[in-house]
């Protein structure tokens, strides 16, 4: 069968088939590709179905096809690791389960800083205004009179951020420790507007909490 032998009715059937397959697919990229192919067949149909091309239908289908293509490019860019800023690529290895686009969004909201001098970043019983992620340096933690160290690669203030409760411990990072810092109010405001942003942040925090549970030890007995 050649292109010239395809009747208008056949073109409509092929276009409808691609649209139907697209609606049955969960993967957003494949869905959009199938819809683009279907749109192409519909455009072909609109050119040959009548004595003159159906320009109105062609125009609207072209606009919808362009919108679909923009959405597809957005999905590709969201999942492209090449789009992660160079200064944060070393961190993405720690959060590889988070889509690159969501990771970029989180990093845009963060300040990366080396602390000097040694700094108490949370205090037990006080409200938390900043969320921290410790890139390097061992955390000194004091909680209910107990003192212990935690390795880098941890969030600080994440429970207070999620629950809106006060900090449960005093944490201090030694001189030279490197951190990411987010403003809690700005994070919450962003999360209200962008559900995907909140999902990405919660995914990162959930991983962190799982590690902390694995490292936890029973308290000293008197």
């Amino acid at each position: 069968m050649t292109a010239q032998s395809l009747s208008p009715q056949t073109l409509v059937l092929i276009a409808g088939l691609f649209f139907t397959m697209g609606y049955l697919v969960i993967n957003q990229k494949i869905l959009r590709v199938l819809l683009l192919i279907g749109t192409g067949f519909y455009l072909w149909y609109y050119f040959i179905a009548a004595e003159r091309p159906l320009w109105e239908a062609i125009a609207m289908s072209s606009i919808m096809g362009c919108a679909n293509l923009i959405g597809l490019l957005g999905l590709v860019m969201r999942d492209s690791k090449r789009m992660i800023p160079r200064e944060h690529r070393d961190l993405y290895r720690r959060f590889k389960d988070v889509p690159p686009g969501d990771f970029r969004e989180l990093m845009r909201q963060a300040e990366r800083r080396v602390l000097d001098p040694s700094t108490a970043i949370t205090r037990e019983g006080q409200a938390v205004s900043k969320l921290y992620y410790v890139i390097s340096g061992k955390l000194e933690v004091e909680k209910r009179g107990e003192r212990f160290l935690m390795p880098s690669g941890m969030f600080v203030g994440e429970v207070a951020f999620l629950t809106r409760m006060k900090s449960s411990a005093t944490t201090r990072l030694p001189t030279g420790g490197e951190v990411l810092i987010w403003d809690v109010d700005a994070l919450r405001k962003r999360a209200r507007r962008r559900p995907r942003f909140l999902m990405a942040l919660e995914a990162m925090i959930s991983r962190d909490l799982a590690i902390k549970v694995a490292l936890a030890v029973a308290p000293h007995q008197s």
Side-chain angles (χ1 to χ4, degrees):
M1 181 180 291
T2 64
Q4 289 77 13
S5 67
L6 292 176
S7 66
Q9 294 79 7
T10 301
L11 293 175
V12 169
L13 290 174
I14 295 174
L17 176 63
F18 276 103
F19 268 75
T20 301
M21 289 191 297
Y23 293 140
L24 293 174
V25 172
I26 296 177
N27 186 292
Q28 285 289 310
K29 293 178 186 176
I30 296 176
L31 183 153
R32 290 177 180 274
V33 168
L34 290 172
L35 294 187
L36 280 175
I37 296 173
T39 299
F41 278 100
Y42 273 127
L43 287 172
W44 188 354
Y45 167 80
Y46 295 141
F47 270 107
I48 69 171
E51 293 183 1
R52 56 176 291 275
L54 304 176
W55 294 114
E56 295 82 1
I58 290 170
M60 290 308 301
S61 291
S62 297
I63 291 172
M64 290 188 289
C66 288
N68 186 21
L69 181 59
I70 292 171
L72 176 60
L73 292 175
L75 288 173
V76 172
M77 291 177 64
R78 192 190 76 192
D79 293 338
S80 174
K81 295 180 181 179
R82 294 184 179 182
M83 300 300 293
I84 295 174
R86 184 170 299 177
E87 62 269 25
H88 296 312
R89 288 179 185 174
D90 59 325
L91 291 178
Y92 184 67
R93 291 193 294 270
R94 307 186 188 191
F95 302 105
K96 57 186 178 181
D97 294 333
V98 177
D102 296 333
F103 179 78
R104 291 197 307 271
E105 178 74 11
L106 285 166
M107 292 302 102
R108 279 198 294 268
Q109 305 297 318
E111 175 189 359
R112 189 168 183 171
R113 183 194 302 174
V114 176
L115 298 180
D116 183 26
S118 176
T119 305
I121 53 182
T122 63
R123 293 192 181 276
E124 188 172 1
Q126 293 186 7
V128 173
S129 62
K130 304 289 184 183
L131 175 67
Y132 296 84
Y133 178 80
V134 181
I135 299 172
S136 63
K138 288 192 174 182
L139 270 174
E140 302 170 3
V141 183
E142 183 176 351
K143 184 174 183 179
R144 298 177 184 176
E146 295 281 347
R147 292 189 177 185
F148 51 94
L149 296 177
M150 293 289 285
S152 59
M154 299 286 182
F155 280 96
V156 178
E158 76 287 356
V159 175
F161 168 74
L162 293 175
T163 64
R164 298 179 182 268
M165 297 174 62
K166 294 181 179 179
S167 177
S168 61
T170 298
T171 54
R172 184 177 296 274
L173 196 63
T175 299
E178 189 177 12
V179 293
L180 289 171
I181 307 173
W182 291 270
D183 180 81
V184 166
D185 290 337
L187 274 183
R188 288 175 178 153
K189 184 176 180 180
R190 189 73 175 175
R192 285 194 296 269
R193 297 200 308 265
R194 298 284 298 274
R196 282 194 61 88
F197 178 82
L198 178 60
M199 290 174 61
L201 180 58
E202 288 180 342
M204 295 170 72
I205 290 176
S206 296
R207 176 183 177 277
D208 174 81
L209 291 174
I211 294 173
K212 286 178 178 174
V213 170
L215 294 174
V217 296
H220 294 301
Q221 300 294 324
S222 57

